[in-house]
Amino acid sequence: MESIPVKTLSSGHIHMPIIGMGTAAYPIVTSEDTKWAILRAIEIGYRHFDTSPAYISEHPLGEAIGEALRLGLIKSRHELFITSKLWFTDAHRHLVIPALRKTLTNLQLDYLDLYIIHWPISSNETGYTWSPNKDHLQPLDFKAVWEAMEECQTLGLTRSIGVSNFSGKNLAELLRTAKIIPAVNQVEMHPLWQQKNLREFCATKGIDVVAYSPLGASGTLWGTNQVMECKVLKEIAKARGKTIAQVSLRWVYEQGVSFVVKSYNEERMKENLLIFDWALTEIESQQISQITQRRGFTAVELVSNSGPYKSIEELWDGEI
Ligand code: NDP
């Protein structure tokens, strides 16, 4: 079993394994298959899991945790680091605590390790689908929603709180009134979208960046194959006897950034952990730093003339 290093979050004693398993599957798989994949992952050594009500994976994750305890794969739930997210339909002050309680019920847990605002937007629709009615999109009330997130932490429903898909501008807005600094900002990051500006900004504020889609989300609806087909990465992988996935994940790790990577294939789950006993050379790092940059996931679904973001440039504060 692989042992994964942990990172201490700004919230103090919270130790987050730097590799987490993502559970946003595309095409959607059955609950049974998700549970199977998560159980295999626990057996292989994954201890950090990333879910959201929008991924329909909270329930099978909860089932897998219960089964792992019964099988003795883990002795206690405390060995795990569980992240879930506040979907934009629930991003209203009065809906935050009920949404987290529902998530905890789905997961059959008493507390989360990390609860994050999924997107810097809200909507007055209900449900968790990824095709919002654009007429219902609204600005996020940063102050009120973050206050409710802070209350979630104070109540002990989650050990830390954070955000996702926040630009530097969004973070600055939130920090104007925040009493608790977000522990993390979970954003797209990989060699083709290195997030240098945002990482620098987060570092000055004590916010950890967690990379999602570290392989570019190849084969999914929201991703591209550009990372897995990148010539520079391919050449480094070939020269080093590693896979492109391992080169990409090792590069993220060497930036001091933790990541959540999704595979439901046992061999690839193992492969994605094998990044700790080797390092990129200075020349290889230099070559990766020169790769042309382009955001993979623009989330154009959240852009609308009547909503808070009129263009993808506005959503990402020019970083596209
Ligand atoms: P990833 O970059 O993790 O890529 C996942 C895809 O790569 C899957 O198709 C997987 O297929 C494949 N894959 C995994 N490992 C390998 C490998 N070693 N070689 C070849 N292919 C591989 O994309 P995700 O978008 O899934 O990101 C990871 C997680 O981040 C998500 O699952 C989710 O939890 C989170 N996320 C958060 C977002 C947010 O808005 N906060 C947005 C997007 C993702 P297979 O399963 O067949 O191996």
Side-chain angles (χ1 to χ4, degrees):
M1 184 177 104
E2 291 300 320
S3 174
I4 300 168
V6 296
K7 175 172 238 187
T8 304
L9 297 178
S10 62
S11 42
H13 53 285
I14 319 276
H15 302 297
M16 179 177 73
I18 66 126
I19 302 182
M21 179 186 186
T23 63
Y26 184 85
I28 292 187
V29 300
T30 65
S31 222
E32 265 313 300
D33 286 348
T34 307
K35 180 180 163 187
W36 177 88
I38 294 167
L39 260 181
R40 293 299 303 130
I42 294 177
E43 208 167 354
I44 289 165
Y46 287 81
R47 291 292 179 268
H48 167 180
F49 294 89
D50 182 78
T51 182
S52 159
Y55 306 159
I56 330 173
S57 58
E58 288 181 332
H59 218 273
L61 173 56
E63 300 261 303
I65 294 169
E67 186 75 4
L69 285 164
R70 274 190 292 279
L71 293 171
L73 298 177
I74 47 169
K75 290 195 183 62
S76 144
R77 176 264 178 267
H78 303 305
E79 292 172 34
L80 301 176
F81 187 98
I82 309 294
T83 301
S84 193
K85 313 192 186 85
L86 179 77
W87 194 237
F88 48 72
T89 49
D90 287 327
H92 304 274
R93 203 210 185 293
H94 68 291
L95 296 181
V96 175
I97 293 176
L100 174 49
R101 288 199 193 279
K102 192 168 159 206
T103 276
L104 290 172
T105 304
N106 289 342
L107 288 162
Q108 303 172 53
L109 296 178
D110 298 332
Y111 71 93
L112 288 183
D113 296 278
L114 176 63
Y115 193 44
I116 59 191
I117 301 178
H118 209 144
W119 290 93
I121 197 166
S122 64
S123 155
N124 58 13
E125 283 188 283
T126 53
Y128 298 101
T129 61
W130 177 244
S131 47
N133 179 333
K134 293 195 172 189
D135 295 337
H136 293 264
L137 295 172
Q138 299 174 340
L140 178 73
D141 186 336
F142 289 86
K143 180 172 184 292
V145 170
W146 191 249
E147 262 170 21
M149 294 290 286
E150 289 173 331
E151 212 176 316
C152 291
Q153 183 172 321
T154 313
L155 289 169
L157 299 173
T158 182
R159 298 183 76 200
S160 54
I161 51 177
V163 297
S164 175
N165 297 302
F166 271 44
S167 64
K169 190 174 171 187
N170 288 328
L171 281 172
E173 169 73 15
L174 184 133
L175 290 171
R176 274 194 323 115
T177 54
K179 292 186 192 70
I180 299 175
I181 305 292
V184 310
N185 186 15
Q186 186 186 104
V187 294
E188 178 181 353
M189 180 180 156
H190 45 69
L192 274 72
W193 188 242
Q194 305 187 2
Q195 296 275 22
K196 282 188 186 144
N197 294 338
L198 188 62
R199 281 195 279 136
E200 267 170 37
F201 181 80
C202 287
T204 63
K205 304 294 176 191
I207 300 169
D208 257 295
V209 169
V210 175
Y212 74 64
S213 304
L215 306 178
S218 65
T220 72
L221 194 61
W222 57 92
T224 73
N225 292 335
Q226 286 172 6
V227 172
M228 299 304 275
E229 287 170 4
C230 171
K231 202 162 157 265
V232 173
L233 300 180
K234 206 179 264 183
E235 276 166 13
I236 295 172
K238 193 167 170 222
R240 300 300 302 275
K242 304 292 174 192
T243 64
I244 292 177
Q246 288 169 329
V247 172
S248 189
L249 298 175
R250 175 75 202 183
W251 175 84
V252 174
Y253 171 63
E254 289 190 10
Q255 310 316 300
V257 171
S258 6
F259 58 83
V260 284
V261 59
K262 179 262 168 187
S263 179
Y264 284 181
N265 171 286
E266 195 171 339
E267 288 316 306
R268 291 193 282 278
M269 279 185 218
K270 287 181 186 162
E271 175 187 323
N272 293 344
L273 296 185
L274 299 176
I275 61 161
F276 296 116
D277 61 352
W278 60 282
L280 293 164
T281 64
E282 218 166 286
I283 291 172
E284 288 163 348
S285 300
Q286 189 64 27
Q287 287 169 336
I288 294 176
S289 75
Q290 284 161 7
I291 293 175
T292 306
Q293 295 296 292
R294 195 162 77 200
R295 182 184 290 279
F297 183 24
T298 58
V300 70
E301 294 84 350
L302 300 181
V303 167
S304 136
N305 280 335
S306 56
Y309 304 104
K310 315 274 186 261
S311 63
I312 51 173
E313 286 80 4
E314 214 180 312
L315 173 59
W316 301 110
D317 195 25
E319 300 254 311
I320 50 169

